[in-house]
Amino acid sequence: MTARRWITRAGFYALVVIIIVQAIFPFYYAILTSLEDGQALFEVNYLPAALDFSNYASMLTSGVFGRQILNSVFVAAIVVVISLFLAVTASYALSRIRFRGRGLLLLTILSVSMFPQIAVLAGLFEVIRTLGLFNSLWSLVFSYMIFTLPFTVWVLTTFMRNLPIEIEEAAIMDGAPPFTIIRRVFLPIMWPAMVTTGLLAFIHAWNEFLFALTFLSTDTQRTVPVAIALISGRSEFEVPWGNIMAASVVVTLPLVILVLIFQRRIVSGLTAGAVKG
Amino acid sequence: MASVELKSICKSFGSVEVLRDVNLSLEKGEFVVFVGPSGCGKSTLLRLVAGLEDITAGDLYIDGARMNDVLPSKRGISMVFQSYALYPHMNVFENMAFGLEQARLNQAEIKARVAEAAEILQITPLMERKPRQLSGGQRQRVAIGRAITRKPRVFLFDEPLSNLDAALRVDTRLEIAALHKRLSDTTMIYVTHDQVEAMTLADRIVVLNAGQVEQVGRPMDLYAEPASAFVAGFIGSPRMNFVTGATAEKHGAHTLGIRPEHITISRDAGEWSGSIVHIEQLGSDTYVHVKTEEAGIVNARAIGANAFRAGDAVFLTLQSESVHLFNADGLPVGPART
Ligand SMILES: Nc1ncnc2c1ncn2[C@@H]1O[C@H](COP(=O)(O)OP(=O)(O)OP(=O)(O)O)[C@@H](O)[C@H]1O
Ligand SMILES: [Mg+2]
């Protein structure tokens, strides 16, 4: 091997290492910090000095953190289910049925997702109060839909448009009623796209902060990002980093696990072979 | 009783009229081919029969029963799509069984029918594969197999061979012909651009032009006695030569049509004279493009390989019994040939 190739190779792996460290290190350091206690926190070290799970124990047993995790799970799951249901039905209409103003409607949907959250906050607050949803988890379900629906609708519409209409027509000729076509033909084909968009919607709902801070007022109703931000120490001069990091690790794990479970499903090209190859 | 009957069928998409007053009657077991230029409405007509499009006006009968408002799956029809339209997530067996499951047949019957179709099309070893693991030709067979299992009264094909390469196209064409023999009770409607497919497969050809039926007849009848200049130009390959102007008028027509195979080339004497501008050697035949004084560029066929070269001066003689004469409206003139 020539020197030149050695250098390119070394350069390549150096870059890989930088990227990995950049991506992983913050999380690693959070885990590290969460396993330390008291004064040990403030000594900079890069390998675990001790395995101390007391931060986790105190997070999960004291107070309402467990309840808050369930709140987050509830909101994110409902948002995913409703978004996917509405997006599948809407994208069917948007990709298959010709009607006046279809392009305009699609652009409107997309532009909704471009509003900064803060711009709609005040108006949305009024809406939520009028609907009597203030301090209810449904206020989050409702408001997160504003951001999850545009991209789920867009992604699924694009996907559906690329599905040859002839597959659907073949199913019609085979005598399948509409519901069977959706269940036996559409859903299995759209599964990868739905997993991908559903996962993104879940992550969005799981991480959202501003709405969750504004629309919920009591501790038992809060979702985890706000809950973590509001963790306070024994005095106003103490920031309980150990607890905060333990909580962060706990709420990050579900996302990591979800992505790992579904990463094999997040494949495209399932339709290859349906039409001329 | 006719198997499929179309009475004054019209079809419009919004304000665009795509089919106008189509009348056709197909016999049971007949193989009918729709041909015509792109956009003339062949697929639309097929889809009307299938029930995938609504009929704007007119009536469709299958075995004597009016079908306008009958669901596609209740018409006793199977369709093979140009893009195959196999279900990508199902294996070959499931693809072929899907329609039968919808018809609530029992498992034993489904297995038997799929096995029979697979046998006919020689795809039995492929049963477990997904469509993406099949070659184009195999996919096409599965698509045909899926259509066979339902034992339709009418079989519809929309350009089924257009995605296959030339050699496979010939093989599959022969297989479709064999299939037609085997399913002698099944009426087949076949849409194609390819006029070799039309000539070789059809019992009767329907030539469509801009949404109207131009002529219906047996392949050789259309070849020998086209009812219009359009049909004359469309049937036959290479295309018929058309000559207008003084030369045509001398024959008493607005347009004179002569097929390349009905022109004799000679170096010594003939009706028209000119020089060769281009030669296409096909091995069995040679097509010689001659620029003539009288008729512009004319394509003539010479049998076998031969010694003509571009630039040679040659004479052309028309076989008078094969000259087609048309008036300004493109309709035939002169005594009807027998
Ligand atoms: N859903 C539709 N809406 C509007 N116009 C349509 C629709 N489907 C077909 N057309 C029009 O109807 C005409 C006939 O279309 P059709 O698909 O039947 O042509 P075709 O003869 O099959 O052509 P090709 O040989 O290219 O497949 C075309 O001009 C087409 O633009
Ligand atoms: Mg077509």
Side-chain angles (χ1 to χ4, degrees):
Chain A
M1 219 185 282
T2 66
R4 228 191 128 94
R5 274 186 70 186
W6 266 107
I7 293 170
T8 14
R9 218 162 226 238
F12 172 74
Y13 284 110
L15 204 61
V16 169
V17 167
I18 290 174
I19 291 171
I20 289 178
V21 167
Q22 198 267 342
I24 302 284
F25 183 75
F27 190 55
Y28 173 74
Y29 203 73
I31 295 177
L32 216 58
T33 313
S34 72
L35 292 173
E36 292 168 353
D37 192 29
Q39 279 308 306
L41 272 174
F42 300 100
E43 285 154 25
V44 178
N45 57 328
Y46 297 102
L47 290 171
L51 280 184
D52 179 355
F53 287 95
S54 60
N55 285 326
Y56 289 88
S58 74
M59 259 335 282
L60 290 174
T61 51
S62 73
V64 290
F65 192 64
R67 168 73 195 263
Q68 289 162 337
I69 290 181
L70 287 184
N71 288 345
S72 270
V73 170
F74 173 82
V75 169
I78 300 277
V79 164
V80 168
V81 169
I82 299 183
S83 297
L84 283 183
F85 176 76
L86 291 179
V88 166
T89 41
S91 64
Y92 181 80
L94 287 168
S95 62
R96 286 289 192 263
I97 301 168
R98 294 153 167 265
F99 55 88
R100 203 181 287 268
R102 180 168 65 167
L104 187 69
L105 187 62
L106 268 172
L107 278 180
T108 314
I109 291 174
L110 189 66
S111 62
V112 166
S113 69
M114 290 172 186
F115 287 128
Q117 269 186 308
I118 195 77
V120 294
L121 189 65
L124 203 55
F125 189 78
E126 287 304 318
V127 173
I128 300 253
R129 259 213 348 217
T130 313
L131 293 176
L133 293 178
F134 183 73
N135 201 29
S136 151
L137 290 175
W138 292 101
S139 66
L140 296 191
V141 171
F142 176 77
S143 55
Y144 291 176
M145 220 72 87
I146 296 174
F147 297 96
T148 57
L149 269 180
F151 79 77
T152 42
V153 168
W154 257 82
V155 171
L156 293 185
T157 301
T158 315
F159 190 87
M160 191 97 84
R161 273 201 182 152
N162 290 333
L163 272 188
I165 194 165
E166 293 190 340
I167 291 183
E168 189 185 341
E169 290 175 342
I172 293 175
M173 296 299 294
D174 270 343
F179 185 70
T180 309
I181 296 181
I182 291 178
R183 197 171 54 85
R184 298 272 317 267
V185 179
F186 267 133
L187 288 187
I189 297 175
M190 304 219 357
W191 178 229
M194 288 174 61
V195 165
T196 314
T197 50
L199 204 57
L200 288 174
F202 189 92
I203 292 173
H204 179 96
W206 187 261
N207 289 337
E208 204 282 336
F209 183 82
L210 185 60
F211 288 170
L213 178 69
T214 314
F215 299 151
L216 302 174
S217 60
T218 55
D219 259 355
T220 51
Q221 292 296 86
R222 288 199 208 288
T223 53
V224 283
V226 179
I228 291 176
L230 296 183
I231 290 174
S232 51
R234 279 174 290 264
S235 72
E236 67 180 293
F237 302 107
E238 184 194 350
V239 179
W241 285 114
N243 282 351
I244 290 176
M245 286 306 154
S248 306
V249 170
V250 167
V251 302
T252 312
L253 277 180
L255 297 187
V256 175
I257 292 170
L258 276 181
V259 171
L260 288 182
I261 290 175
F262 287 118
Q263 63 157 350
R264 292 179 36 160
R265 304 254 176 229
I266 308 175
V267 285
S268 52
L270 191 68
T271 54
V275 291
K276 58 178 170 175
Chain B
M1 182 173 54
S3 165
V4 179
E5 197 158 16
L6 290 80
K7 287 194 174 151
S8 316
I9 296 271
C10 298
K11 174 68 187 173
S12 309
F13 289 107
S15 58
V16 188
E17 194 170 42
V18 176
L19 292 170
R20 204 170 335 136
D21 194 28
V22 174
N23 290 287
L24 277 177
S25 174
L26 316 187
E27 296 302 319
K28 192 177 184 66
E30 201 175 13
F31 199 120
V32 174
V33 174
F34 293 171
V35 292
S38 193
C40 68
K42 307 179 293 288
S43 299
T44 306
L45 190 54
L46 201 69
R47 293 163 58 81
L48 290 179
V49 176
L52 293 171
E53 301 280 0
D54 292 329
I55 296 170
T56 309
D59 297 298
L60 166 72
Y61 295 92
I62 295 179
D63 289 347
R66 189 168 179 276
M67 286 290 151
N68 288 41
D69 304 316
V70 177
L71 281 177
S73 54
K74 301 274 185 278
R75 295 185 180 193
I77 281 179
S78 281
M79 182 154 173
V80 177
F81 294 86
Q82 178 175 3
S83 65
Y84 318 144
L86 299 175
Y87 309 120
H89 56 293
M90 298 185 193
N91 68 24
V92 170
F93 179 88
E94 290 162 338
N95 261 286
M96 291 168 70
F98 185 73
L100 303 178
E101 282 169 26
Q102 299 308 315
R104 307 227 182 287
L105 265 57
N106 66 44
Q107 282 300 321
E109 172 80 13
I110 292 178
K111 282 220 178 75
R113 285 217 202 167
V114 172
E116 187 192 344
E119 188 67 41
I120 295 176
L121 293 160
Q122 298 160 7
I123 48 176
T124 312
L126 307 177
M127 282 310 192
E128 300 297 322
R129 298 214 202 156
K130 293 273 172 67
R132 65 173 173 277
Q133 299 164 315
L134 301 174
S135 72
Q138 290 168 334
R139 282 177 209 168
Q140 186 56 272
R141 284 155 193 267
V142 175
I144 294 175
R146 177 171 70 177
I148 292 179
T149 53
R150 301 182 47 226
K151 301 202 191 259
R153 295 181 288 186
V154 184
F155 220 126
L156 309 178
F157 296 90
D158 192 355
E159 308 201 29
L161 308 187
S162 57
N163 289 330
L164 303 180
D165 67 41
L168 203 52
R169 204 180 285 194
V170 174
D171 291 348
T172 316
R173 195 174 77 212
L174 294 175
E175 272 167 34
I176 289 177
L179 189 68
H180 175 228
K181 278 217 187 71
R182 191 178 177 126
L183 308 175
S184 55
D185 277 349
T186 313
T187 309
M188 298 197 172
I189 307 180
Y190 187 104
V191 167
T192 182
H193 273 110
D194 182 318
Q195 56 130 333
V196 177
E197 282 169 33
M199 295 297 281
T200 54
L201 287 171
D203 293 322
R204 281 195 301 161
I205 293 179
V206 176
V207 182
L208 289 169
N209 181 20
Q212 282 183 303
V213 175
E214 192 82 20
Q215 189 174 4
V216 184
R218 288 181 299 160
M220 285 315 290
D221 292 347
L222 297 196
Y223 177 83
E225 284 179 55
S228 65
F230 177 83
V231 176
F234 203 81
I235 301 288
S237 163
R239 228 173 106 81
M240 182 184 274
N241 297 293
F242 288 105
V243 183
T244 50
T247 310
E249 271 154 28
K250 223 166 63 193
H251 286 81
H254 178 268
T255 309
L256 177 153
I258 182 78
R259 298 189 189 281
E261 56 269 40
H262 297 144
I263 301 176
T264 317
I265 310 183
S266 136
R267 288 190 187 278
D268 313 318
E271 257 178 275
W272 297 341
S273 66
S275 64
I276 298 176
V277 289
H278 185 62
I279 289 186
E280 293 168 311
Q281 297 268 11
L282 300 184
S284 58
D285 302 308
T286 304
Y287 288 97
V288 184
H289 297 255
V290 182
K291 187 173 172 105
T292 62
E293 293 276 316
E294 298 86 349
I297 293 189
V298 173
N299 183 7
R301 184 183 71 175
I303 296 196
N306 51 63
F308 291 117
R309 291 278 168 278
D312 290 1
V314 290
F315 295 89
L316 303 177
T317 308
L318 316 187
Q319 296 171 12
S320 57
E321 70 281 5
S322 300
V323 172
H324 299 265
L325 300 174
F326 302 99
N327 65 20
D329 297 326
L331 299 175
V333 293
R337 281 178 301 272
T338 47

